[in-house]
Amino acid sequence: MSNLHRRNAVAGACAVVVATGLLPLATAHAQDQGQRVEKPKAGHVLLISVDGLHQADLASYVRTHPKSALAGLVAHGTSYRHAQTPVPSDSFPGMVAQVTGGNPATTGIYYDDSYNHALLPAGTTSCRGVAPGTEVTYFEALDKDPNALDAGQGLAGLPASILAMTGQPRNVIDPAQLPVDPRTCKPVYPHSYLKVNTVFEVLRAHGLRTAWSDKHPAYDILQGPSGTGIQDLFTTEVNRQADGLPVGQDWTKDNAKTQEYDRDKVQAVLNEIDGFDHARSTQVGMPALLGMNFQSVSTAQKLPSSDGQPGGYQANGAPGPVLAGALNFVDHEVGAMVAELKARHEANSTTIILSAKHGQSPVEPGALTRIPDGAILDGLNAAWAASHPGAAPLVALSTNDDAIIMWLSDRSQAAAEFAKAYLLHHDGTGNDINGNPKAYTASGLTKVYAGKDSAAFFGTRVGDPRVPDLYALAQHGVVFTGGTGKIAEHGGADAQDRNVPLVVSGALTKPGRSSDAIVETTQIAPTILRLLGLSPRELAAVRAEGTKSLP
């Protein structure tokens, strides 16, 4: 395994220094949740994440489509217009936050592609004498089959048969790709990497049924440390070869294909609303908590073009044709879920929570600056080697989308300051929305937190084996990528990455309300438990951070 990793992802913070303006809401608005278990209020909660969706997107869509399903959710519930994701605003920490109530320092989840200075490399079978420190790859790299939508289950007749995929994704994770615990010399599955429990585990402890659908088998992490939180976890692989596309093109490379992919997850939810498992093979009763994430809006925002039409936003900020189509698709599918709830006479007992794991930036096409991060990392390692002959490459792992997050082989403050100085003094040339050269300064960054400052930014101790050794905020519009394959990204601390919708609608909600309170998506978890009549303090992250239910 190479010491230098260039897969684009990103980073951010949870509890941070006040000077950044990113004060963690859970800390700022802590309240005593109490131990009291209330009488059950709602029978079910349907949680929907529309990845990439901004609050501004939802507000605009509702204004221009007043009879839409999304408008109906807003009209029959409360909209929180200033909801923020945690930082990093990436899928893994974003979804984990919604179901634990915690930020990365508490949950231990900084990204789906991260580094741990205490674990051993994947494939280690004899642990004595092995030096710790390894990449933690909790994304599509874990799948048994690198090219299969079913992640290696071996289903015949794909993609039509995908609903027959296992509801226990651990069965299609390759243990040889997992980091190894030096104490037990055993692979660390995603669920056991999470440091706190989830709402799914709390519900299971009370005898309630749970289900969820997501984009990688690595979302086994949502099961929680017990590994048993979700009875029906349907995780088709989005980053695998798509039916009908050229070799090497996955479901995210064509928005029509992404919609086809999402539609299968919708069907799984419809089956669960009807009281079956996701495959509609066994009648088990409608879960107390169920839901899914949509990918269609996210890919429509990121793709330069799809099906012969431009992706992303227009110069005036309005959705372009691909994104407009994706929004219509999501609205139609949300409408299908609402209709199914009504048909099954479950609408009056179900609360729907609509939000997003993350937003996306930049919205403005003219703000885009694509920067090839490979050259930056090569230059940093070369500079380190020149001044430290014989030393290992400084960058152990760097995960970059619209921020830079680094773990270093040398964890000293001096090494972190060396990396910071290099980044802030590196200038170069990237490209703009049209692929034309565009100069950048300071590696496209505005602020770099190094060593002890990075630990403080995230609100954890110096020497934490999971915390990044360096975290850098990007200039607005910067996307770290080689080439011209995408026009937006997420994972940083940009306002467009973080300001997502948060709507609580349906059973037990008051219609047509909106709130200007600054809230965080971590507050979804305690809200789910309160809606179902359980104490939020059964969540370890709620106790640790004082995360309160939504007002």
Side-chain angles (χ1 to χ4, degrees):
M1 180 182 298
S2 170
N3 286 326
L4 178 61
H5 185 82
R6 293 178 183 150
R7 178 182 177 270
N8 286 320
V10 98
C14 67
V16 299
V17 289
V18 175
T20 66
L22 299 176
L23 183 66
L25 178 132
T27 301
H29 298 278
Q31 72 172 17
D32 180 12
Q33 299 284 337
Q35 295 282 359
R36 182 167 54 93
V37 177
E38 301 177 356
K39 182 180 179 180
K41 293 182 175 181
H44 314 278
V45 173
L46 173 59
L47 178 60
I48 301 171
S49 176
V50 185
D51 296 2
L53 190 66
H54 306 103
Q55 166 58 23
D57 295 326
L58 178 63
S60 175
Y61 193 88
V62 168
R63 185 174 60 253
T64 56
H65 300 77
K67 297 186 181 301
S68 63
L70 293 175
L73 290 185
V74 171
H76 292 91
T78 299
S79 298
Y80 299 88
R81 297 186 294 193
H82 298 286
Q84 297 183 348
T85 70
V87 181
S89 60
D90 189 54
S91 298
F92 233 45
M95 193 66 237
V96 165
Q98 292 187 31
V99 300
T100 64
N103 286 284
T106 301
T107 65
I109 308 303
Y110 291 89
Y111 223 81
D112 64 354
D113 188 11
S114 64
Y115 194 88
N116 190 308
H117 288 280
L119 296 181
L120 305 183
T124 302
T125 55
S126 180
C127 295
R128 185 178 300 235
V130 178
T134 185
E135 182 180 4
V136 179
T137 54
Y138 289 156
F139 51 98
E140 62 269 19
L142 288 189
D143 301 353
K144 286 184 177 179
D145 187 331
N147 295 305
L149 179 64
D150 65 357
Q153 185 174 337
L155 296 176
L158 288 170
S161 65
I162 192 59
L163 282 171
M165 185 178 174
T166 176
Q168 289 297 335
R170 216 167 308 153
N171 298 337
V172 291
I173 288 176
D174 181 1
Q177 305 304 318
L178 294 166
V180 174
D181 186 340
R183 298 167 300 178
T184 63
C185 209
K186 294 185 180 298
V188 180
Y189 279 84
H191 70 271
S192 58
Y193 196 67
L194 184 60
K195 293 166 64 175
V196 294
N197 64 337
T198 71
V199 290
F200 296 108
E201 289 177 294
V202 173
L203 297 180
R204 291 291 297 119
H206 288 273
L208 299 174
R209 185 167 179 81
T210 58
W212 183 254
S213 298
D214 222 302
K215 63 180 181 176
H216 306 306
Y219 277 86
D220 167 69
I221 196 167
L222 303 183
Q223 298 266 25
S226 70
T228 60
I230 306 176
Q231 289 158 292
D232 192 355
L233 181 53
F234 179 53
T235 56
T236 57
E237 180 54 70
V238 71
N239 291 117
R240 291 307 179 218
Q241 177 66 45
D243 179 61
L245 294 185
V247 174
Q249 297 289 296
D250 65 38
W251 296 87
T252 70
K253 299 301 187 291
D254 179 280
N255 195 249
K257 282 296 179 184
T258 311
Q259 292 181 26
E260 180 183 339
Y261 166 87
D262 277 344
R263 196 173 288 112
D264 289 328
K265 290 185 292 183
V266 172
Q267 186 58 56
V269 172
L270 295 177
N271 290 341
E272 290 156 0
I273 290 172
D274 288 351
F276 293 87
D277 62 359
H278 77 268
R280 207 177 184 86
S281 61
T282 306
Q283 195 158 14
V284 290
M286 182 179 171
L289 175 59
L290 70 165
M292 61 167 286
N293 83 301
F294 282 95
Q295 288 294 106
S296 297
V297 168
S298 181
T299 63
Q301 292 167 328
K302 293 169 73 170
L303 290 170
S305 64
S306 184
D307 302 308
Q309 295 182 312
Y313 296 84
Q314 301 177 56
N316 64 0
V322 176
L323 181 53
L327 291 168
N328 288 336
F329 164 77
V330 168
D331 180 73
H332 180 272
E333 299 304 310
V334 169
M337 294 186 228
V338 172
E340 198 70 12
L341 288 170
K342 291 178 179 177
R344 301 296 300 180
H345 306 290
E346 297 287 3
N348 291 334
S349 62
T350 301
T351 305
I352 300 174
I353 301 178
L354 176 80
S355 191
K357 297 176 184 176
H358 58 79
Q360 210 100 252
S361 68
V363 168
E364 319 91 316
L368 178 65
T369 304
R370 287 178 285 218
I371 298 177
D373 55 325
I376 297 175
L377 302 181
D378 287 342
L380 171 56
N381 275 334
W384 177 257
S387 58
H388 299 77
L394 181 58
V395 182
L397 179 73
S398 189
T399 307
N400 319 309
D401 278 336
D402 66 357
I404 286 181
I405 180 168
M406 280 187 187
W407 290 264
L408 305 177
S409 60
D410 184 333
R411 302 202 80 190
S412 68
Q413 187 63 31
E417 295 293 345
F418 182 97
K420 174 181 176 179
Y422 180 89
L423 292 173
L424 290 178
H425 290 88
H426 171 79
D427 302 334
T429 303
N431 63 82
D432 65 11
I433 187 72
N434 298 312
N436 298 319
K438 187 175 183 180
Y440 64 84
T441 60
S443 302
L445 305 173
T446 61
K447 182 77 173 178
V448 178
Y449 297 92
K452 60 182 176 55
D453 293 330
S454 179
F457 181 82
F458 284 102
T460 189
R461 63 180 176 83
V462 175
D464 182 330
R466 303 188 189 202
V467 70
D469 297 303
L470 181 145
Y471 173 69
L473 302 173
Q475 299 165 20
H476 178 67
V478 165
V479 171
F480 294 102
T481 180
T484 58
K486 53 187 172 181
I487 58 175
E489 260 299 354
H490 58 271
D494 192 280
Q496 292 175 359
D497 286 0
R498 299 191 68 201
N499 187 203
V500 297
L502 180 45
V503 180
V504 182
S505 182
L508 306 172
T509 64
K510 295 183 178 179
R513 293 201 170 188
S514 63
S515 171
D516 287 326
I518 297 174
V519 298
E520 193 171 272
T521 54
T522 53
Q523 294 178 257
I524 290 172
T527 300
I528 289 172
L529 293 185
R530 279 225 178 271
L531 285 166
L532 295 173
L534 301 174
S535 171
R537 288 190 62 81
E538 293 194 50
L539 289 169
V542 165
R543 297 194 301 272
E545 297 188 14
T547 316
K548 68 175 184 178
S549 303
L550 290 165

